[in-house]
Amino acid sequence: MFLNDDFLLSTDWAKKLFHDHAAQMPIIDYHCHLDPQEIYENQSFTSITEAWLKGDHYKWRLMRACGIPESHITGDASDYEKFLAWCQTVPKTIGNPLYTWTHLELKRFFGIDLAVNEETAKTIWEQANKKITGTSFKRREMIKNANVKVICTTDDPTDDLSFHQLLAEEEQAFKVLPSFRPDKALNIDQKDFSTWIKQLAESTGSDISTYEELIAALGSRIDYFHSLGGRLSDHALDILRYKEADTTTLETIFQKACQGQALSLEEIDAYRTETLIRLIHFYHQYDWTMQLHIHAYRNCNQPMFDQLGPDTGYDGINDLSITIPLQKLLNRAESTNQLPKTILYSLNPNDYPALTALIGCFQKDIKGKMQLGSGWWYNDTRDGMRQQLTQFANGSVLHNFVGMLTDSRSFLSYTRHEYFRRVLCEFIGEIVERGEAPEDEALLGELVEAISYTNAEAYFKF
């Protein structure tokens, strides 16, 4: 039963829809954190530890919860010691999606069908490492073998995108496209803001001494990203507040920040609001899709942040009110007919009803223009996926959903698309079994294929 061909597929219709429709669809991974340099250089991994555990803070959190010392998670323990520590952890994680994902990754990529535990660790280590140094386990081959057609990386406006250029010239089997992530342009309260402005000036070859020159520079970089196939932006809006300001006020705020002067909360909010509005106008101009990732509560453990830095497993979920500031932001853009296609993600699933209701207020002209984003991060579970699917279906048009993404730093994470597609087919199969949808394979199969692949292909226009 465990991970057999029909796992998660609890009805005959779920099985039919997955095996005959979802499983055969290619993958568009429109939001991830893979390094384009790694993809281009196409090296083999040094061991399964590098492929399986490096940078994977999902696994790190579970290891810490099981009392594994930090030396065997992010520290100086050997690759085998870290691998063994994870194998000791896995049997305790039944009920967590990582238990399934771990075994699915082994089975799909390595052909290893063993339960992961301390006793099997040495065998798995030896079998996996024999394969992982081979040609078929180079980065690009893993992408091809997973049937991935498009990868959208996450890139700072100052990135030169040289590896995207090289991949566009050399790689024919799949596309690696940049996504515009201007968090550092908005985070005017950070101590490295003025340093980043200098980096942006260098990347554009122009002086940035005024606020309007900053906006022009950001527009120039958006144009550059677009020339290399970029069609999405992404924002981490951990806290969302709305405050309008005129250009004179914005210039004053910008100058204060560049001189290292302290800013008030009102000044920070005004700068972030108005700069985001100007970026939104660019996104609409270029027919991009804007992604807003809302309500992460980052770096909760200050001592560990000081020791390890960001993105190491110490982020939580925020629970502030977002409806009013988000409505004002979207309405401001819509008032000048400059609201782009938008995907709203929240790390707090309690936000789903409000977000779903709000996106319905701004649908216009384009099929599925406004989207409730897939279950993200802590919601990247069977329950979280089903909750998002239920909310999307109840409050919008499920057929329009652009589907799953990995949001991952791992080349093994494409099994999450399979996991999602199984959950999707389970969800739709249950609707049919309850008599709420007809037993019409043409109708249901097209729905599954749309959410798995074809919607994203049409929506993003890669």
Side-chain angles (χ1 to χ4, degrees):
M1 290 292 293
F2 178 54
L3 290 191
N4 65 11
D5 288 346
D6 295 330
F7 85 91
L8 288 177
L9 307 175
S10 55
T11 67
D12 289 341
W13 271 102
K15 295 170 186 176
K16 178 180 286 292
L17 291 172
F18 178 76
H19 294 302
D20 295 347
H21 297 277
Q24 66 193 24
M25 302 305 292
I27 290 171
I28 292 178
D29 199 26
Y30 58 88
H31 176 67
C32 76
H33 296 275
L34 293 181
D35 183 346
Q37 182 175 351
E38 278 191 58
I39 300 172
Y40 175 74
E41 292 178 346
N42 200 28
Q43 299 296 313
S44 296
F45 292 94
T46 57
S47 73
I48 187 175
T49 303
E50 182 187 6
W52 223 17
L53 295 173
K54 182 181 178 182
D56 194 337
H57 52 78
Y58 288 61
K59 293 186 175 81
W60 295 351
R61 285 173 67 94
L62 298 190
M63 294 169 77
R64 290 174 185 134
C66 289
I68 301 297
E70 197 63 35
S71 60
H72 287 59
I73 302 172
T74 62
D76 57 4
S78 69
D79 274 7
Y80 182 73
E81 288 171 325
K82 291 177 179 178
F83 171 81
L84 179 60
W86 174 238
C87 291
Q88 292 167 337
T89 302
V90 170
K92 303 169 186 175
T93 67
I94 290 176
N96 188 294
L98 279 172
Y99 186 83
T100 304
W101 295 351
T102 293
H103 289 89
L104 199 58
E105 288 163 0
L106 277 183
K107 191 169 185 175
R108 295 291 183 261
F109 284 97
F110 298 94
I112 297 174
D113 198 5
L114 293 172
V116 179
N117 54 51
E118 187 172 4
E119 288 71 34
T120 60
K122 185 175 181 182
T123 300
I124 294 171
W125 172 263
E126 291 173 350
Q127 290 183 11
N129 283 339
K130 282 182 182 178
K131 295 184 177 183
I132 208 163
T133 56
T135 304
S136 63
F137 277 88
K138 290 186 175 182
R139 267 71 163 178
R140 292 198 222 175
E141 293 307 312
M142 294 175 74
I143 293 168
K144 295 173 190 176
N145 291 338
N147 200 18
V148 179
K149 298 303 180 185
V150 179
I151 293 170
C152 296
T153 58
T154 304
D155 308 280
D156 186 85
T158 64
D159 291 346
D160 66 11
L161 307 183
S162 59
F163 293 104
H164 294 86
Q165 288 180 296
L166 291 169
L167 283 162
E169 294 168 2
E170 295 183 14
E171 184 56 63
Q172 301 299 316
F174 58 88
K175 296 179 180 179
V176 180
L177 306 176
S179 296
F180 191 75
R181 176 85 171 231
D183 292 350
K184 291 182 178 179
L186 293 177
N187 293 338
I188 193 171
D189 53 324
Q190 298 299 306
K191 60 183 180 182
D192 60 350
F193 176 76
S194 60
T195 300
W196 184 84
I197 293 296
K198 294 175 183 176
Q199 294 171 351
L200 180 63
E202 291 174 4
S203 70
T204 60
S206 60
D207 182 55
I208 302 177
S209 58
T210 68
Y211 179 74
E212 289 306 315
E213 288 173 349
L214 165 64
I215 299 304
L218 290 170
S220 172
R221 297 307 289 171
I222 288 171
D223 187 73
Y224 180 59
F225 273 60
H226 190 82
S227 73
L228 293 176
R231 296 295 182 269
L232 294 97
S233 67
D234 180 38
H235 294 264
L237 298 181
D238 302 340
I239 297 174
L240 182 59
R241 292 187 289 263
Y242 183 89
K243 174 71 175 176
E244 295 185 2
D246 59 27
T247 54
T248 301
T249 302
L250 292 170
E251 185 62 44
T252 300
I253 295 169
F254 179 72
Q255 294 301 330
K256 286 177 66 176
C258 289
Q259 295 165 18
Q261 297 180 36
L263 300 176
S264 69
L265 184 59
E266 280 198 353
E267 288 174 320
I268 294 168
D269 291 345
Y271 170 86
R272 287 170 60 89
T273 299
E274 295 294 339
T275 304
L276 182 53
I277 283 292
R278 285 155 176 77
L279 289 170
I280 287 172
H281 292 170
F282 282 127
Y283 304 154
H284 179 269
Q285 176 186 338
Y286 284 87
D287 194 23
W288 279 17
T289 298
M290 174 175 67
Q291 300 176 97
L292 302 181
H293 283 85
I294 303 168
H295 263 169
Y297 190 16
R298 299 183 191 274
N299 308 320
C300 296
N301 185 328
Q302 188 64 46
M304 292 309 296
F305 174 75
D306 293 340
Q307 179 180 331
L308 299 176
D311 304 321
T312 52
Y314 294 97
D315 300 324
I317 299 172
N318 217 326
D319 59 356
L320 300 174
S321 176
I322 60 170
T323 303
I324 293 174
L326 184 57
Q327 178 273 330
K328 289 181 177 179
L329 185 74
L330 299 177
N331 190 63
R332 171 91 171 272
E334 180 63 18
S335 67
T336 56
N337 198 32
Q338 291 177 287
L339 181 63
K341 291 176 289 186
T342 301
I343 305 177
L344 301 177
Y345 309 84
S346 179
L347 199 52
N348 190 334
N350 293 325
D351 295 332
Y352 284 177
L355 292 180
T356 306
L358 194 58
I359 64 176
C361 299
F362 294 96
Q363 300 286 15
K364 181 180 176 182
D365 297 333
I366 300 169
K367 173 187 170 182
K369 176 180 179 178
M370 308 295 292
Q371 298 256 336
L372 177 67
S374 65
W376 164 46
W377 201 344
Y378 297 123
N379 304 305
D380 195 3
T381 66
R382 177 179 174 273
D383 286 350
M385 292 172 184
R386 288 175 63 93
Q387 187 173 358
Q388 187 269 351
L389 289 168
T390 300
Q391 186 62 53
F392 205 124
N394 285 344
S396 189
V397 180
L398 183 61
H399 189 284
N400 295 342
F401 180 33
V402 293
M404 183 59 176
L405 51 95
T406 63
D407 189 33
S408 177
R409 293 167 174 79
S410 170
F411 287 83
L412 299 177
S413 64
Y414 297 117
T415 51
R416 296 183 198 175
H417 281 268
E418 176 186 342
Y419 188 88
F420 166 78
R421 292 174 183 184
R422 288 177 178 272
V423 172
L424 171 66
C425 292
E426 176 194 35
F427 179 78
I428 295 172
E430 290 173 0
I431 294 175
V432 177
E433 290 292 317
R434 292 195 301 268
E436 295 183 272
E439 296 187 13
D440 182 337
E441 184 174 356
L443 175 69
L444 301 171
E446 193 274 334
L447 170 61
V448 167
E449 291 178 9
I451 296 172
S452 298
Y453 178 75
T454 60
N455 279 350
E457 183 181 40
Y459 186 81
F460 298 117
K461 300 180 181 179
F462 295 125

